[in-house]
mmCIF file of all heavy atoms in Angstrom:
data_model
loop_
_atom_site.group_PDB
_atom_site.id
_atom_site.type_symbol
_atom_site.label_atom_id
_atom_site.label_comp_id
_atom_site.label_asym_id
_atom_site.label_seq_id
_atom_site.Cartn_x
_atom_site.Cartn_y
_atom_site.Cartn_z
ATOM 1 N N ASN A 74 -14.996 -12.201 21.561
ATOM 2 C CA ASN A 74 -14.622 -11.230 22.628
ATOM 3 C C ASN A 74 -13.393 -10.514 22.281
ATOM 4 O O ASN A 74 -12.407 -11.149 21.813
ATOM 5 C CB ASN A 74 -14.479 -12.010 23.944
ATOM 6 C CG ASN A 74 -15.815 -12.502 24.422
ATOM 7 O OD1 ASN A 74 -16.740 -11.778 24.579
ATOM 8 N ND2 ASN A 74 -15.841 -13.821 24.779
ATOM 9 N N PRO A 75 -13.295 -9.245 22.518
ATOM 10 C CA PRO A 75 -14.367 -8.390 22.994
ATOM 11 C C PRO A 75 -15.409 -8.134 21.821
ATOM 12 O O PRO A 75 -15.076 -8.064 20.665
ATOM 13 C CB PRO A 75 -13.684 -7.083 23.338
ATOM 14 C CG PRO A 75 -12.445 -7.009 22.539
ATOM 15 C CD PRO A 75 -12.035 -8.498 22.323
ATOM 16 N N GLN A 76 -16.672 -8.066 22.216
ATOM 17 C CA GLN A 76 -17.759 -7.984 21.268
ATOM 18 C C GLN A 76 -17.599 -6.813 20.306
ATOM 19 O O GLN A 76 -18.010 -6.966 19.123
ATOM 20 C CB GLN A 76 -19.075 -7.886 21.961
ATOM 21 C CG GLN A 76 -19.530 -9.160 22.627
ATOM 22 C CD GLN A 76 -20.860 -9.073 23.318
ATOM 23 O OE1 GLN A 76 -21.298 -7.981 23.675
ATOM 24 N NE2 GLN A 76 -21.527 -10.180 23.537
ATOM 25 N N ASP A 77 -17.072 -5.641 20.723
ATOM 26 C CA ASP A 77 -17.002 -4.543 19.870
ATOM 27 C C ASP A 77 -15.968 -4.705 18.746
ATOM 28 O O ASP A 77 -15.951 -3.827 17.829
ATOM 29 C CB ASP A 77 -16.796 -3.227 20.646
ATOM 30 C CG ASP A 77 -15.398 -3.269 21.380
ATOM 31 O OD1 ASP A 77 -14.836 -4.299 21.648
ATOM 32 O OD2 ASP A 77 -14.862 -2.135 21.670
ATOM 33 N N ARG A 78 -15.172 -5.731 18.779
ATOM 34 C CA ARG A 78 -14.190 -5.984 17.703
ATOM 35 C C ARG A 78 -14.731 -6.946 16.628
ATOM 36 O O ARG A 78 -14.010 -7.136 15.637
ATOM 37 C CB ARG A 78 -12.890 -6.595 18.303
ATOM 38 C CG ARG A 78 -12.206 -5.684 19.288
ATOM 39 C CD ARG A 78 -11.876 -4.241 18.839
ATOM 40 N NE ARG A 78 -10.973 -4.151 17.719
ATOM 41 C CZ ARG A 78 -9.694 -3.825 17.841
ATOM 42 N NH1 ARG A 78 -9.175 -3.531 19.007
ATOM 43 N NH2 ARG A 78 -8.951 -3.738 16.777
ATOM 44 N N PHE A 79 -15.912 -7.537 16.869
ATOM 45 C CA PHE A 79 -16.435 -8.451 15.875
ATOM 46 C C PHE A 79 -17.692 -7.860 15.233
ATOM 47 O O PHE A 79 -18.406 -7.063 15.809
ATOM 48 C CB PHE A 79 -16.891 -9.755 16.632
ATOM 49 C CG PHE A 79 -15.680 -10.636 16.963
ATOM 50 C CD1 PHE A 79 -14.920 -10.327 18.063
ATOM 51 C CD2 PHE A 79 -15.332 -11.685 16.161
ATOM 52 C CE1 PHE A 79 -13.753 -11.091 18.355
ATOM 53 C CE2 PHE A 79 -14.234 -12.456 16.466
ATOM 54 C CZ PHE A 79 -13.425 -12.199 17.559
ATOM 55 N N PRO A 80 -17.889 -8.112 13.910
ATOM 56 C CA PRO A 80 -17.117 -8.973 13.061
ATOM 57 C C PRO A 80 -15.730 -8.353 12.793
ATOM 58 O O PRO A 80 -15.535 -7.134 12.759
ATOM 59 C CB PRO A 80 -17.941 -9.162 11.774
ATOM 60 C CG PRO A 80 -18.713 -7.859 11.757
ATOM 61 C CD PRO A 80 -19.043 -7.482 13.141
ATOM 62 N N LEU A 81 -14.765 -9.303 12.604
ATOM 63 C CA LEU A 81 -13.405 -8.871 12.330
ATOM 64 C C LEU A 81 -13.215 -8.258 10.942
ATOM 65 O O LEU A 81 -13.946 -8.665 10.024
ATOM 66 C CB LEU A 81 -12.451 -10.118 12.477
ATOM 67 C CG LEU A 81 -12.460 -10.738 13.854
ATOM 68 C CD1 LEU A 81 -11.723 -12.129 13.769
ATOM 69 C CD2 LEU A 81 -11.773 -9.805 14.840
ATOM 70 N N GLN A 82 -12.302 -7.327 10.815
ATOM 71 C CA GLN A 82 -11.998 -6.721 9.527
ATOM 72 C C GLN A 82 -10.844 -7.470 8.844
ATOM 73 O O GLN A 82 -10.253 -8.423 9.429
ATOM 74 C CB GLN A 82 -11.640 -5.291 9.782
ATOM 75 C CG GLN A 82 -12.713 -4.483 10.473
ATOM 76 C CD GLN A 82 -14.010 -4.500 9.711
ATOM 77 O OE1 GLN A 82 -14.082 -4.201 8.554
ATOM 78 N NE2 GLN A 82 -15.122 -4.861 10.404
ATOM 79 N N LYS A 83 -10.438 -7.005 7.668
ATOM 80 C CA LYS A 83 -9.386 -7.663 6.894
ATOM 81 C C LYS A 83 -8.079 -7.659 7.683
ATOM 82 O O LYS A 83 -7.702 -6.717 8.380
ATOM 83 C CB LYS A 83 -9.150 -6.820 5.598
ATOM 84 C CG LYS A 83 -8.016 -7.389 4.768
ATOM 85 C CD LYS A 83 -7.840 -6.543 3.521
ATOM 86 C CE LYS A 83 -6.677 -7.074 2.724
ATOM 87 N NZ LYS A 83 -6.323 -6.107 1.609
ATOM 88 N N CYS A 84 -7.464 -8.824 7.717
ATOM 89 C CA CYS A 84 -6.193 -9.091 8.410
ATOM 90 C C CYS A 84 -6.266 -9.047 9.907
ATOM 91 O O CYS A 84 -5.252 -8.895 10.631
ATOM 92 C CB CYS A 84 -5.107 -8.183 7.891
ATOM 93 S SG CYS A 84 -4.841 -8.301 6.069
ATOM 94 N N GLU A 85 -7.513 -9.179 10.465
ATOM 95 C CA GLU A 85 -7.655 -9.269 11.892
ATOM 96 C C GLU A 85 -8.064 -10.707 12.303
ATOM 97 O O GLU A 85 -8.677 -11.401 11.544
ATOM 98 C CB GLU A 85 -8.768 -8.308 12.387
ATOM 99 C CG GLU A 85 -8.437 -6.904 12.257
ATOM 100 C CD GLU A 85 -9.536 -5.933 12.774
ATOM 101 O OE1 GLU A 85 -10.662 -6.346 12.939
ATOM 102 O OE2 GLU A 85 -9.196 -4.754 12.980
ATOM 103 N N GLY A 86 -7.654 -11.078 13.520
ATOM 104 C CA GLY A 86 -7.924 -12.442 13.988
ATOM 105 C C GLY A 86 -8.167 -12.370 15.500
ATOM 106 O O GLY A 86 -7.979 -11.402 16.144
ATOM 107 N N ASP A 87 -8.660 -13.404 16.010
ATOM 108 C CA ASP A 87 -8.671 -14.778 15.614
ATOM 109 C C ASP A 87 -10.129 -15.164 15.175
ATOM 110 O O ASP A 87 -11.043 -15.009 15.975
ATOM 111 C CB ASP A 87 -8.218 -15.664 16.789
ATOM 112 C CG ASP A 87 -8.247 -17.157 16.475
ATOM 113 O OD1 ASP A 87 -7.953 -17.555 15.368
ATOM 114 O OD2 ASP A 87 -8.577 -17.921 17.430
ATOM 115 N N CYS A 88 -10.242 -15.623 13.972
ATOM 116 C CA CYS A 88 -11.502 -16.080 13.493
ATOM 117 C C CYS A 88 -11.542 -17.640 13.550
ATOM 118 O O CYS A 88 -10.486 -18.318 13.522
ATOM 119 C CB CYS A 88 -11.752 -15.643 12.093
ATOM 120 S SG CYS A 88 -10.538 -16.072 10.863
ATOM 121 N N ASP A 89 -12.748 -18.173 13.691
ATOM 122 C CA ASP A 89 -12.899 -19.671 13.672
ATOM 123 C C ASP A 89 -13.643 -20.062 12.404
ATOM 124 O O ASP A 89 -13.557 -21.238 12.009
ATOM 125 C CB ASP A 89 -13.597 -20.131 14.911
ATOM 126 C CG ASP A 89 -12.804 -19.835 16.143
ATOM 127 O OD1 ASP A 89 -11.602 -20.139 16.156
ATOM 128 O OD2 ASP A 89 -13.364 -19.314 17.161
ATOM 129 N N ASN A 90 -14.396 -19.129 11.822
ATOM 130 C CA ASN A 90 -15.135 -19.435 10.564
ATOM 131 C C ASN A 90 -15.539 -18.104 9.920
ATOM 132 O O ASN A 90 -15.285 -17.031 10.489
ATOM 133 C CB ASN A 90 -16.421 -20.300 10.858
ATOM 134 C CG ASN A 90 -17.228 -19.678 11.938
ATOM 135 O OD1 ASN A 90 -17.692 -18.576 11.814
ATOM 136 N ND2 ASN A 90 -17.491 -20.435 13.038
ATOM 137 N N ASP A 91 -16.044 -18.193 8.774
ATOM 138 C CA ASP A 91 -16.353 -16.998 7.991
ATOM 139 C C ASP A 91 -17.328 -16.017 8.677
ATOM 140 O O ASP A 91 -17.267 -14.805 8.512
ATOM 141 C CB ASP A 91 -16.906 -17.335 6.605
ATOM 142 C CG ASP A 91 -15.911 -18.070 5.730
ATOM 143 O OD1 ASP A 91 -14.718 -18.040 6.003
ATOM 144 O OD2 ASP A 91 -16.310 -18.579 4.642
ATOM 145 N N SER A 92 -18.189 -16.552 9.545
ATOM 146 C CA SER A 92 -19.136 -15.723 10.204
ATOM 147 C C SER A 92 -18.479 -14.779 11.237
ATOM 148 O O SER A 92 -19.112 -13.788 11.647
ATOM 149 C CB SER A 92 -20.247 -16.544 10.923
ATOM 150 O OG SER A 92 -19.649 -17.317 11.924
ATOM 151 N N ASP A 93 -17.244 -15.035 11.604
ATOM 152 C CA ASP A 93 -16.492 -14.140 12.523
ATOM 153 C C ASP A 93 -15.968 -12.975 11.735
ATOM 154 O O ASP A 93 -15.481 -11.967 12.351
ATOM 155 C CB ASP A 93 -15.284 -14.834 13.134
ATOM 156 C CG ASP A 93 -15.696 -15.892 14.176
ATOM 157 O OD1 ASP A 93 -16.789 -15.677 14.782
ATOM 158 O OD2 ASP A 93 -14.951 -16.822 14.477
ATOM 159 N N CYS A 94 -15.996 -13.008 10.426
ATOM 160 C CA CYS A 94 -15.415 -11.961 9.558
ATOM 161 C C CYS A 94 -16.500 -11.041 8.957
ATOM 162 O O CYS A 94 -17.627 -11.538 8.778
ATOM 163 C CB CYS A 94 -14.641 -12.570 8.386
ATOM 164 S SG CYS A 94 -13.288 -13.622 9.000
ATOM 165 N N ASP A 95 -16.168 -9.808 8.688
ATOM 166 C CA ASP A 95 -17.054 -8.833 8.122
ATOM 167 C C ASP A 95 -17.521 -9.315 6.677
ATOM 168 O O ASP A 95 -16.891 -10.186 6.097
ATOM 169 C CB ASP A 95 -16.420 -7.505 8.010
ATOM 170 C CG ASP A 95 -17.447 -6.306 8.000
ATOM 171 O OD1 ASP A 95 -18.651 -6.576 8.109
ATOM 172 O OD2 ASP A 95 -17.018 -5.192 7.843
ATOM 173 N N THR A 96 -18.571 -8.717 6.196
ATOM 174 C CA THR A 96 -19.118 -9.059 4.864
ATOM 175 C C THR A 96 -18.065 -9.014 3.822
ATOM 176 O O THR A 96 -17.279 -8.041 3.744
ATOM 177 C CB THR A 96 -20.236 -8.095 4.507
ATOM 178 O OG1 THR A 96 -21.227 -8.102 5.537
ATOM 179 C CG2 THR A 96 -20.921 -8.441 3.198
ATOM 180 N N GLY A 97 -17.979 -10.029 2.947
ATOM 181 C CA GLY A 97 -17.002 -10.084 1.857
ATOM 182 C C GLY A 97 -15.708 -10.645 2.226
ATOM 183 O O GLY A 97 -14.767 -10.783 1.430
ATOM 184 N N LEU A 98 -15.478 -11.042 3.519
ATOM 185 C CA LEU A 98 -14.261 -11.600 3.987
ATOM 186 C C LEU A 98 -14.396 -13.095 4.365
ATOM 187 O O LEU A 98 -15.517 -13.442 4.770
ATOM 188 C CB LEU A 98 -13.663 -10.847 5.159
ATOM 189 C CG LEU A 98 -13.404 -9.338 4.948
ATOM 190 C CD1 LEU A 98 -12.977 -8.691 6.267
ATOM 191 C CD2 LEU A 98 -12.325 -9.122 3.876
ATOM 192 N N SER A 99 -13.371 -13.825 4.362
ATOM 193 C CA SER A 99 -13.374 -15.251 4.714
ATOM 194 C C SER A 99 -12.297 -15.445 5.812
ATOM 195 O O SER A 99 -11.398 -14.660 5.933
ATOM 196 C CB SER A 99 -13.081 -16.154 3.546
ATOM 197 O OG SER A 99 -14.060 -16.003 2.523
ATOM 198 N N CYS A 100 -12.513 -16.522 6.527
ATOM 199 C CA CYS A 100 -11.545 -16.904 7.608
ATOM 200 C C CYS A 100 -10.440 -17.770 7.038
ATOM 201 O O CYS A 100 -10.763 -18.845 6.485
ATOM 202 C CB CYS A 100 -12.261 -17.612 8.758
ATOM 203 S SG CYS A 100 -11.164 -17.918 10.144
#
Side-chain angles (χ1 to χ4, degrees):
N74 291 308
Q76 288 182 338
D77 65 336
R78 299 307 295 258
F79 285 79
L81 298 168
Q82 302 303 307
K83 181 181 176 187
C84 303
E85 291 183 344
D87 178 39
C88 57
D89 295 315
N90 52 58
D91 293 349
S92 65
D93 288 337
C94 302
D95 204 4
T96 303
L98 301 175
S99 299
C100 183

